[in-house]
Amino acid sequence: MTTFEAILLTIVTASTPLLIAALGELVSERAGVLNLGVEGMMIMGAACSFAAAVTFDSTVVGVLAGILAGVAMAALFALAVLGFAANQVGSGLALTIFGIGLSGLIGAPFVGARRDPIAPLDIPVLSDLPVVGRLFFEQDLFVYGSIALTVLIALYLGRTRSGLTLRSIGENHGSAHGLGLPVLRVRFLAILFGGACAGLAGAYLSLVYTRFWAPGMTSGRGWIALALVVFAAWRPAWVLVGAYIFGTATVLQLHAQAAQFGVPSQALSAVPYLATILALLLLSLRRGRAIGAPGSLGVPFVPDR
Amino acid sequence: MRFELTPRTTVSPVARAVAPVAAFIVSFLIAGFVIWLMGRSPIAAFNVYVVQPLSDPWSLQELLVKATPLALIAIGLSYCFRANLWNIGAEGQYVMGAVLGSWLALKTHGTDAGFWVLPLMLILGMIGGALYGLIPAVLKTRFGVNEILTSLMLVYVAQLTLDYLVRGPWRDPKGFNFPQSVTFDPSATLPPVMEASRVNYGTVFALVAVLVTAVVLGRTLFGYRLKLTGDAPRAARFAGFSSKATTLAVFAISGGLAGLAGISEVSGQIGQLQPSISPGYGFTAITVAFLGRLNPFGIMVAALVLALTFIGGESAQILLKLPLDLTQAFQGMLLLCVLAADALVSNRIRFVTRGGGK
């Protein structure tokens, strides 16, 4: 395998968790709920999946545990913002702070443990093609799953009745409620779906990307996923594009660090964060402000208001 | 069975005052349950977290020391949050304040520079924090970029900048290769308030910030403007208040106070620059601001309460082998409970049995 091929493979690995987490957040935001707790749900997914995978020596159990952890965290968030109509921004922040702390507790006994790599799928013949073979036909299941998820979510939001309901609740919860649409139920499910995706993204990080657990290992990926949703203007296909651009930036930055050409490593580590700011800036220059954001995004819903 | 919320027409002031206390008790019970799940005694933990720090004079001093940066940062954040602007990058502004202030300390190191060094350092610290806080504000007012994401991304950039400086150009050449700067000269050190005390003048700055903020928010047009901008942005526009000017002002204030907290810690408690100069003060201050209901005196009390979780967390780590992460988990839980309790104060909760309807 050439270095070039290796870089392309790591780009896919780096982009996949961003894509999965951002897709979940996209669905939740299209339903009108801004969940800033992605980082917290993601790191809980990473900790719980790793802990479960090591304890039961099973990747499948690990992945399920990661998803479950994300859903549990999301349920807590849903209780605050739907049940108690609490401020969404504040509750999301709280969820992140809580998740980072709790994941440290859960992961503590597993620091230093390692998991074996997950064998990629090997599609006969096709994977033997030069360059594209390994890239397109010899990835792990998550990668194919994440791309399928993008398509499914795009179809769901754009082509199904239930997707239309979800979008209209996100655009104007008052009118939707007036029409008799179940605002809180749809939002609850959308939040849980976002949590499941964030948990899965976290599981991918600790089980596939690093294959170990370290406190704070998401290092802002949840926040970058949030930025990706804005970057994509709430459209699934653009989340895919954005995630791969960011994955590429992250990987090139890592390779630049390894190549050591005179730039301080900290400057290179700052690249993904600066790139996020730059992307948000360029986007607003091009498209004017906040176009595409669901109308009721971030507004608590209290019936009879 | 499910429950429904309906907005209350009148809000009882008693409920408003009780809500944060109730939130604190609820999160304490949850934390106790978690500790019990981990196979430790919740009562022993309560003793270590709350009773011991409050019954020992040395810990009481430490409480003030830890509460000081929390109060300074949270007071600044309260300006932003009142105007419904979300500065969540206080941690970065704290670091950048510490960096710019320390620049002068390192520049004048060993030169017998006079009394002017420390005041100038404090001013530079405020400027550093304010300028760093203005980045998300300018991006928001000029380009409409979401301030939540940019202010947070800048935290990582600030931490990496500090890391680069203390491992690279600002490293103490005689420091046995430890990533840290030289120890500041006495003229660049924030002195204690009293002889042989750990409490330094940073605490005085925090008290001044509380008093000034109480006056500004309660008695000035600027305070009214913040409230109006936060509660009714349209009305604020009609009243001729520029939301751009407000945004820039509150970010500069909150960044400046975070920067002051940063340089006070570095020149006071720590005495040199290190890769890590904060146990997450900037994030904990968000909880402090909400627990204190964005009220300066409330924030003062809330800062002491959360300072207790830091001190208790440290001793619980030593005495009970409870990981330090428990503190952060508790702080997140507390913020969630505070926000839920606040919502309950302004909304009535009603239980509805399925099929019962309205």
Side-chain angles (χ1 to χ4, degrees):
Chain A
M1 184 162 50
T2 65
T3 322
F4 181 64
E5 276 182 324
I7 291 179
L8 288 179
L9 280 175
T10 41
I11 286 175
V12 175
T13 323
S15 310
T16 300
L18 293 177
L19 174 60
I20 298 174
L23 283 172
E25 178 66 14
L26 180 131
V27 170
S28 155
E29 290 194 14
R30 285 302 278 270
V33 182
L34 177 66
N35 186 352
L36 293 184
V38 182
E39 178 88 357
M41 300 189 294
M42 201 165 168
I43 198 155
M44 278 291 284
C48 294
S49 65
F50 192 77
V54 170
T55 309
F56 299 102
D57 194 24
S58 154
T59 302
V60 176
V61 173
V63 170
L64 288 178
I67 294 175
L68 210 65
V71 170
M73 291 284 283
L76 196 63
F77 177 77
L79 178 69
V81 301
L82 301 180
F84 296 146
N87 181 301
Q88 293 182 5
V89 176
S91 305
L93 281 175
L95 196 68
T96 289
I97 297 173
F98 176 66
I100 294 176
L102 192 60
S103 66
L105 287 184
I106 292 169
F110 300 93
V111 173
R114 279 196 79 90
R115 293 280 302 160
D116 292 331
I118 292 165
L121 289 187
D122 190 353
I123 301 166
V125 188
L126 286 178
S127 64
D128 295 331
L129 293 171
V131 188
V132 291
R134 293 194 58 120
L135 196 57
F136 290 121
F137 304 108
E138 208 181 316
Q139 296 285 356
D140 53 75
L141 259 177
F142 299 90
V143 173
Y144 301 114
S146 69
I147 290 163
L149 194 64
T150 315
V151 176
L152 286 177
I153 289 174
L155 289 176
Y156 170 74
L157 289 174
R159 294 287 148 85
T160 65
R161 193 184 171 82
S162 147
L164 178 68
T165 305
L166 183 135
R167 282 189 291 137
S168 57
I169 284 169
E171 284 303 335
N172 188 333
H173 54 207
S175 310
H177 181 64
L179 287 171
L181 298 176
V183 175
L184 290 180
R185 194 194 313 156
V186 169
R187 286 202 170 157
F188 182 61
L189 293 174
I191 292 172
L192 292 191
F193 179 76
C197 288
L200 178 63
Y204 188 80
L205 274 183
S206 62
L207 294 179
V208 182
Y209 191 87
T210 58
R211 304 204 305 278
F212 61 79
W213 160 257
M217 64 181 286
T218 46
S219 58
R221 283 190 183 84
W223 295 100
I224 291 176
L226 273 160
L228 277 175
V229 179
V230 183
F231 171 84
W234 292 268
R235 288 171 303 185
W238 282 94
V239 170
L240 180 81
V241 175
Y244 274 77
I245 294 175
F246 271 86
T248 310
T250 314
V251 168
L252 290 185
Q253 167 267 119
L254 283 175
H255 282 276
Q257 283 196 25
Q260 288 183 329
F261 43 52
V263 183
S265 68
Q266 292 92 346
L268 292 167
S269 303
V271 164
Y273 309 114
L274 292 172
T276 309
I277 297 174
L278 192 70
L280 292 172
L281 175 65
L282 290 178
L283 205 75
S284 65
L285 284 180
R286 202 164 61 81
R287 233 189 280 124
R289 26 207 78 184
I291 288 176
S296 296
L297 186 60
V299 186
F301 174 69
V302 178
D304 302 341
R305 180 172 279 181
Chain B
M1 195 184 73
R2 66 203 174 91
F3 52 80
E4 261 181 12
L5 293 173
T6 44
R8 287 182 206 270
T9 41
T10 52
V11 171
S12 123
V14 178
R16 214 165 243 302
V18 166
V21 180
F24 192 77
I25 294 172
V26 168
S27 28
F28 230 97
L29 292 177
I30 297 173
F33 180 66
V34 171
I35 290 169
W36 177 75
L37 278 184
M38 291 170 69
R40 314 287 157 80
S41 152
I43 293 168
F46 182 78
N47 197 26
V48 170
Y49 268 94
V50 181
V51 180
Q52 278 181 10
L54 289 178
S55 54
D56 164 25
W58 187 85
S59 298
L60 282 176
Q61 252 194 51
E62 202 58 25
L63 200 64
L64 282 180
V65 168
K66 288 264 192 317
T68 295
L70 288 176
L72 269 174
I73 302 169
I75 286 282
L77 289 179
S78 72
Y79 284 87
C80 282
F81 295 166
R82 271 177 183 252
N84 214 2
L85 289 162
W86 294 90
N87 175 12
I88 55 172
E91 184 85 4
Q93 292 141 24
Y94 170 100
V95 168
M96 284 318 227
V99 163
L100 195 63
S102 302
W103 168 79
L104 186 67
L106 300 177
K107 206 76 186 164
T108 58
H109 179 68
T111 58
D112 271 334
F115 65 92
W116 52 270
V117 173
L118 185 68
L120 201 55
M121 276 170 68
L122 296 171
I123 293 169
L124 281 175
M126 289 179 83
I127 293 175
L131 288 179
Y132 209 61
L134 277 172
I135 301 174
V138 168
L139 287 173
K140 183 183 177 73
T141 53
R142 287 204 48 140
F143 307 108
V145 181
N146 183 313
E147 81 277 14
I148 300 174
L149 294 169
T150 48
S151 63
L152 192 102
M153 291 292 140
L154 287 169
V155 173
Y156 294 97
V157 176
Q159 283 167 343
L160 287 164
T161 307
L162 171 66
D163 195 71
Y164 165 69
L165 289 172
V166 293
R167 286 173 203 278
W170 289 5
R171 178 156 66 185
D172 179 6
K174 297 193 207 81
F176 303 102
N177 246 352
F178 279 113
Q180 57 192 31
S181 75
V182 292
T183 310
F184 293 175
D185 290 340
S187 65
T189 304
L190 200 60
V193 177
M194 282 177 299
E195 208 52 40
S197 135
R198 292 254 301 143
V199 179
N200 63 34
Y201 275 93
T203 311
V204 178
F205 303 152
L207 282 175
V208 171
V210 166
L211 295 175
V212 170
T213 303
V215 174
V216 168
L217 294 179
R219 297 261 179 272
T220 64
L221 185 63
F222 182 68
Y224 176 68
R225 175 174 165 170
L226 291 188
K227 191 173 155 45
L228 197 61
T229 310
D231 293 349
R234 270 170 65 85
R237 262 202 304 284
F238 291 140
F241 295 147
S242 150
S243 75
K244 287 187 180 185
T246 309
T247 308
L248 295 175
V250 295
F251 268 85
I253 293 171
S254 87
L257 287 176
L260 179 63
I263 189 60
S264 300
E265 279 297 291
V266 168
S267 66
Q269 303 306 330
I270 308 173
Q272 63 186 166
L273 272 186
Q274 300 166 349
S276 170
I277 54 174
S278 153
Y281 286 138
F283 295 112
T284 306
I286 298 170
T287 311
V288 171
F290 279 104
L291 188 64
R293 305 192 142 270
L294 308 183
N295 170 306
F297 297 106
I299 286 174
M300 206 165 71
V301 177
L304 287 168
V305 170
L306 278 156
L308 193 63
T309 65
F310 276 124
I311 297 171
E314 278 168 18
S315 34
Q317 190 185 18
I318 301 163
L319 296 173
L320 302 175
K321 303 270 174 286
L322 280 168
L324 213 49
D325 298 298
L326 188 63
T327 304
Q328 208 183 358
F330 175 74
Q331 290 174 352
M333 201 65 228
L334 178 60
L335 179 53
L336 213 54
C337 290
V338 169
L339 292 164
D342 273 2
L344 279 189
V345 169
S346 42
N347 292 292
R348 186 189 306 278
I349 198 161
R350 198 167 49 171
F351 290 93
V352 184
T353 42
R354 204 165 273 288
K358 286 214 171 151

